[in-house]
Amino acid sequence: MSSGLRRQALAAILATQPALARQDQKVRRLAELYGMNVFGEQAMREHLPEAAFKSLQATIRFGKELDPHLADLVANAMKEWAVERGATHFTHWFQPMTGSTAEKHDAFLKISGERLLLEFSGKELVKGEPDASSFPSGGIRSTFEARGYTAWDPTSPAFIREGTNGSTLCIPTAFCSWTGEALDTKTPLLRSMEAINLAALKLLQAIGRRDTRVVYPTLGCEQEYFLIDRNYFLARPDLVASGRSLLGARPPKGQELEDHYFGTISPRVLAFMEESEHELWKLGVPVKTRHNEVAPSQYEVAPIFERSSLAIDHNMLTMDIMKKVALRHGFVCLLHEKPFAGINGSGKHNNFSMATDQGENLLDPGTTPAENMRFVVFLAAVLRAVHVHSDLLRITVAHAGNDHRLGANEAPPAIISVFLGSELTEVVNALVKGTNGGERKGEAAMRLGVSSLPPLPKDATDRNRTSPFAFTGNKFEFRAVGSSQSPAGPNIVLNTIVAESMTWMAGKIAEAERKFGLEAAIQQVTQQVLKDHMTVVFNGNGYSKEWEVEAERRGLPNLRNTVDALSTHDSEKNFALFETYGVFSRTEWDSRGNIAFESYEKAIHIEALSLLETAQTMILPAVLKHQERLAAAVGAARSANAGVDLYVQENLLKEYFELANELIKSLDRLRSLIAKGETIHDGPQHQKARFFRDEIRPAMEKVRGVADQLELQVDDALWPLPKYREMLFLH
Ligand code: ADP
Ligand code: MG
């Protein structure tokens, strides 16, 4: 029968629950596991001469330029350390503009006459030359030379990836063209971190703080994901091709009982979590929290926050390792933003703050008046950044997968606003008005940095899940980031816009200080910034219709989908911003926009083709088979001359015929639209992307709507695809 794969999947799952996959590991103690495969501080200390160690640490911690003589020493130390641990190969590990990571392995192998040498030189450590002409470049390639090179990023430690039968030394690198254009996400990220550093130092100095040497952005990525049994996955061509189900009727039970969130974790899922955590700990990824999420079969993992660049490398490793470990447990780990319609999608909450070399969190309200003052100044800078550049933040989360979350009445909305919580909002409003929180009206205007500042809330207790950018006590949580995305894009932009805002405020404070003195200058500028940008603060329900109306009144953009968001990509404001802060050249920023549009078109194209094929070759035959049986049954009833019942049955048949016809017609329409879409060449107006959004997506929805209705009518034994109720609940 046509439902072969589905039947086999079910049979495999129902036969006997496979024994939980156990790790075959000698080391299990957390203290031994943690960082064992990282060439970190301890390994460096052990394998490098004292002076070299110190010099490398200065590069890592304070961004001091790397001493070129160091490279050979470090390469040799790294090789020895790696070979001791069984590594046979090394690779430059980089993050091209595909959104994932890339690697090309070479053995430490050198033959000299008859002799075998294990070699890894400083040159090989510092620079690699992968034949990289097949990575997306967004047009840079056509104007410049095709080849690129990878350059060692000493701020992220090298690590060993263990394979089943061998191990590979991985060296985190940046990836550039020969003419110096960034072809990856790491290069602009590091530039944006430098922008944060310079700007935050300026702002600290402007408020009279000269004791800080380095400021860096910190990041903690909460990663959501789904796990489904691999047998189901393989029986669903849509999941295989696009990572999400393009068909599937809503199950009778979804997430409405709210019985999954924080529920007890099933032993099979826990076995997967434990093994992935072990693997991640070995790589020094500080994963800490695990729990069931809201939707059935949905989970979350969260690490302890780190310096952004490291946190991003670690998030990329987390996604990669989870996918691989899942397979060993007979699962597939789905990172798509919306694998299943009708239940919650997956995000990646991007917790952002800034830290100093003294260990201070600049977004922590602190306990002293001076700390409170510093906090309010940096808070104002972030608010201003988000308000002035909300379109840019929106762009960083715009892609085909995320369109099913943002603006689709699911967490969070496409309007970028900030949640401060009622307590902090009151404090800020009081600051703006120059009153003291209302209680002591009539007193002299409240002054920042003096004890009349009301105690600041240490904890934002009223958490608001509907806000895309929420203050949560001592950090901001950007919740619009999609689960499958590299966190690099959002953080490059976040760093740059906050840097711009801090620089701007530092300038304004310095200017006012000459006239009014330091304290008054800080007070005035901060007050003015808060006053001008409180319109971006919204503490209410972000999903409500009223908010859309209100946001429009406030002039906040509502860029509902990828095409709308990306249409603002190439504005002069954006080019100027990135150029000023040295994060993207014009060519680089332009190329990123092209890639984003291309990826959008390609994603929908693949989905459309997959849907067409699946519906045409799997659903339609089942539908027609059922029709044939139904017609035969009704025919039999007719010849038996069964009276009144016959009317009911004929009606049933008629309605079924209509649905089946609708399916055929909607498939015809989808097929011709795809053919038309394929002929469109994308120009500056992005007609192709618009066509995919306005014509193909709705045509896909139409096919799905009909097919999902039919799923609820066709004989279950004929239905070829694993159903939602099975994938989400039976494993
Ligand atoms: P919740 O689910 O309540 O938002 P979690 O504890 O799951 O909170 O996640 C919070 C995340 O924020 C963690 O990854 C944590 O390390 C991170 N985080 C905490 N403080 C900071 C900070 N100062 N900078 C960046 N991230 C932070
Ligand atoms: Mg969380």
Side-chain angles (χ1 to χ4, degrees):
M1 98 179 81
S2 63
S3 58
L5 271 175
R6 172 173 173 233
R7 292 279 122 193
Q8 279 170 30
L10 282 169
I13 289 153
L14 298 179
T16 42
Q17 260 310 332
L20 298 183
R22 271 187 180 271
Q23 275 168 275
D24 174 25
Q25 285 211 119
K26 283 167 220 99
V27 191
R28 284 180 162 276
R29 296 201 354 241
L30 173 52
E32 285 171 62
L33 282 173
Y34 196 78
M36 67 179 261
N37 285 340
V38 181
F39 191 64
E41 211 175 301
Q42 192 174 337
M44 286 180 201
R45 202 187 287 276
E46 281 166 21
H47 287 81
L48 279 172
E50 175 78 11
F53 170 75
K54 284 205 169 128
S55 169
L56 187 57
Q57 285 298 314
T59 300
I60 294 169
R61 293 216 182 142
F62 303 111
K64 282 237 288 311
E65 206 163 304
L66 188 78
D67 174 0
H69 300 298
L70 212 60
D72 274 324
L73 276 174
V74 178
N76 198 51
M78 239 184 224
K79 181 201 71 190
E80 273 176 14
W81 170 83
V83 169
E84 264 171 34
R85 282 159 179 75
T88 53
H89 288 68
F90 70 92
T91 179
H92 279 197
W93 181 75
F94 58 106
Q95 297 167 32
M97 294 185 282
T98 52
S100 45
T101 61
E103 52 194 75
K104 173 188 161 221
H105 302 193
D106 275 300
F108 294 115
L109 187 66
K110 189 172 178 188
I111 312 273
S112 167
E114 297 282 281
R115 279 181 48 219
L116 166 70
L117 301 172
L118 295 185
E119 205 177 72
F120 182 51
S121 67
K123 231 177 84 204
E124 286 169 303
L125 166 65
V126 171
K127 197 170 194 173
E129 298 177 25
D131 175 18
S133 48
S134 297
F135 290 114
S137 77
I140 286 184
R141 245 198 333 270
S142 55
T143 31
F144 298 92
E145 216 191 322
R147 287 197 313 162
Y149 69 90
T150 49
W152 179 35
D153 165 21
T155 64
S156 184
F159 54 90
I160 292 174
R161 285 293 294 267
E162 294 173 7
T164 312
N165 299 313
S167 294
T168 304
L169 170 67
C170 300
I171 300 147
T173 53
F175 177 45
C176 300
S177 78
W178 280 101
T179 41
E181 274 79 18
L183 292 174
D184 69 346
T185 56
K186 189 65 157 300
T187 308
L189 177 78
L190 294 174
R191 294 173 184 161
S192 73
M193 288 171 70
E194 186 52 19
I196 281 266
N197 179 36
L198 295 176
L201 289 176
K202 258 189 212 153
L203 187 53
L204 282 170
Q205 274 165 18
I207 62 171
R209 285 264 316 262
R210 287 166 214 288
D211 49 343
T212 305
R213 285 203 292 170
V214 181
V215 175
Y216 56 88
T218 52
L219 172 64
C221 294
E222 299 165 56
Q223 176 73 49
E224 293 178 338
Y225 60 96
F226 280 84
L227 287 178
I228 64 160
D229 194 284
R230 185 171 161 271
N231 292 294
Y232 293 135
F233 177 83
L234 294 177
R236 298 265 332 200
D238 50 354
L239 282 177
V240 174
S242 72
R244 77 177 179 103
S245 53
L246 303 166
L247 293 155
R250 310 283 151 94
K253 174 185 188 295
Q255 64 191 44
E256 51 283 279
L257 298 180
E258 294 168 338
D259 50 357
H260 192 252
Y261 189 56
F262 283 11
T264 166
I265 302 172
S266 90
R268 184 175 171 203
V269 170
L270 191 58
F272 153 82
M273 289 176 168
E274 287 160 343
E275 188 177 344
S276 16
E277 285 160 354
H278 283 193
E279 291 301 318
L280 288 164
W281 285 338
K282 285 191 207 167
L283 298 171
V285 181
V287 283
K288 184 173 166 71
T289 308
R290 63 188 184 206
H291 61 79
N292 286 2
E293 256 303 329
V294 170
S297 289
Q298 191 188 27
Y299 309 91
E300 177 180 302
V301 59
I304 296 173
F305 69 94
E306 299 174 285
R307 185 186 294 260
S308 306
S309 50
L310 193 56
I312 291 170
D313 284 358
H314 283 169
N315 180 254
M316 300 304 283
L317 281 173
T318 303
M319 293 193 286
D320 190 21
I321 294 227
M322 287 204 310
K323 282 196 229 161
K324 288 181 172 139
V325 171
L327 292 177
R328 294 210 280 270
H329 292 256
F331 284 126
V332 169
C333 174
L334 299 176
L335 292 171
H336 193 283
E337 283 71 21
K338 194 73 175 180
F340 303 100
I343 59 169
N344 271 25
S346 297
K348 171 146 43 205
H349 294 178
N350 189 102
N351 294 273
F352 164 90
S353 189
M354 289 169 280
T356 69
D357 56 328
Q358 298 136 305
E360 181 185 10
N361 174 355
L362 294 176
L363 291 174
D364 189 333
T367 47
T368 66
E371 286 171 337
N372 280 188
M373 185 266 282
R374 181 263 301 137
F375 164 71
V376 175
V377 169
F378 281 87
L379 179 81
V382 177
L383 277 187
R384 181 185 169 280
V386 175
H387 189 211
V388 174
H389 300 289
S390 69
D391 53 340
L392 257 181
L393 272 182
R394 176 66 183 89
I395 285 173
T396 67
V397 294
H399 55 99
N402 228 8
D403 277 3
H404 300 280
R405 295 174 67 228
L406 309 181
N409 210 25
E410 194 190 312
I415 306 160
I416 304 286
S417 65
V418 177
F419 170 83
L420 284 187
S422 52
E423 267 183 284
L424 187 54
T425 304
E426 247 172 64
V427 171
V428 171
N429 283 336
L431 278 170
V432 169
K433 287 201 200 98
T435 59
N436 199 349
E439 304 107 326
R440 283 188 269 164
K441 269 188 203 128
E443 278 189 25
M446 188 174 66
R447 320 190 94 196
L448 286 170
V450 294
S451 41
S452 61
L453 192 66
L456 292 169
K458 285 296 287 176
D459 212 26
T461 38
D462 46 345
R463 303 292 297 267
N464 179 328
R465 292 280 164 196
T466 68
S467 175
F469 203 93
F471 183 71
T472 50
N474 57 5
K475 62 188 190 297
F476 277 99
E477 191 170 333
F478 185 24
R479 303 208 181 104
V481 182
S483 47
S484 71
Q485 276 188 268
S486 159
N491 285 286
I492 293 167
V493 165
L494 195 47
N495 291 341
T496 312
I497 64 179
V498 173
E500 186 270 339
S501 205
M502 294 191 296
T503 310
W504 186 89
M505 277 182 76
K508 288 285 172 202
I509 292 173
E511 207 179 294
E513 185 189 354
R514 287 192 284 276
K515 288 189 219 149
F516 311 109
L518 183 60
E519 203 182 302
I522 299 172
Q523 163 106 358
Q524 279 176 21
V525 172
T526 310
Q527 243 175 358
Q528 192 60 46
V529 170
L530 291 173
K531 196 171 166 190
D532 292 345
H533 300 290
M534 273 304 275
T535 41
V536 78
V537 172
F538 176 66
N539 294 323
N541 177 8
Y543 302 162
S544 66
K545 273 273 160 258
E546 295 78 39
W547 170 230
E548 283 193 28
V549 178
E550 166 70 8
E552 193 177 342
R553 198 185 57 75
R554 294 191 194 182
L556 301 178
N558 184 2
L559 301 163
R560 287 168 216 273
N561 52 62
T562 299
V563 177
D564 285 353
L566 290 181
S567 299
T568 70
H569 187 275
D570 289 347
S571 71
E572 207 39 53
K573 170 182 90 97
N574 295 348
F575 282 123
L577 171 76
F578 289 123
E579 269 188 320
T580 306
Y581 291 88
V583 174
F584 289 117
S585 67
R586 292 185 85 84
T587 319
E588 287 170 344
W589 180 245
D590 178 64
S591 73
R592 311 252 151 178
N594 296 339
I595 291 175
F597 267 115
E598 267 169 37
S599 320
Y600 175 81
E601 289 153 18
K602 285 178 187 164
I604 296 185
H605 194 188
I606 291 169
E607 286 185 353
L609 288 174
S610 172
L611 175 62
L612 184 65
E613 185 187 351
T614 310
Q616 183 79 41
T617 64
M618 296 175 79
I619 304 295
L620 188 60
V623 166
L624 294 179
K625 185 95 200 154
H626 186 72
Q627 177 177 295
E628 189 186 313
R629 288 198 195 163
L630 213 55
V634 175
R638 199 182 290 121
S639 6
N641 204 4
V644 182
D645 282 343
L646 189 58
Y647 172 76
V648 176
Q649 293 202 8
E650 283 185 335
N651 211 31
L652 175 76
L653 186 59
K654 185 169 156 274
E655 278 170 14
Y656 186 87
F657 269 134
E658 276 166 16
L659 260 187
N661 283 347
E662 240 185 280
L663 179 66
I664 296 168
K665 279 192 276 179
S666 66
L667 280 170
D668 282 346
R669 179 162 166 76
L670 180 61
R671 189 179 310 103
S672 66
L673 285 172
I674 294 174
K676 186 164 172 210
E678 284 168 349
T679 65
I680 301 175
H681 288 286
D682 217 2
Q685 299 309 316
H686 298 290
Q687 308 86 321
K688 189 166 183 172
R690 282 172 207 285
F691 186 82
F692 276 82
R693 179 194 63 181
D694 299 335
E695 303 293 335
I696 299 210
R697 279 274 312 266
M700 290 171 64
E701 282 309 310
K702 176 73 192 164
V703 171
R704 181 187 187 140
V706 184
D708 289 358
Q709 282 185 59
L710 282 159
E711 183 184 323
L712 299 177
Q713 299 200 17
V714 171
D715 179 359
D716 185 73
L718 291 174
W719 198 257
L721 297 177
K723 297 186 171 182
Y724 271 29
R725 62 174 158 81
E726 293 158 351
M727 290 189 284
L728 292 169
F729 294 99
L730 283 190
H731 51 67

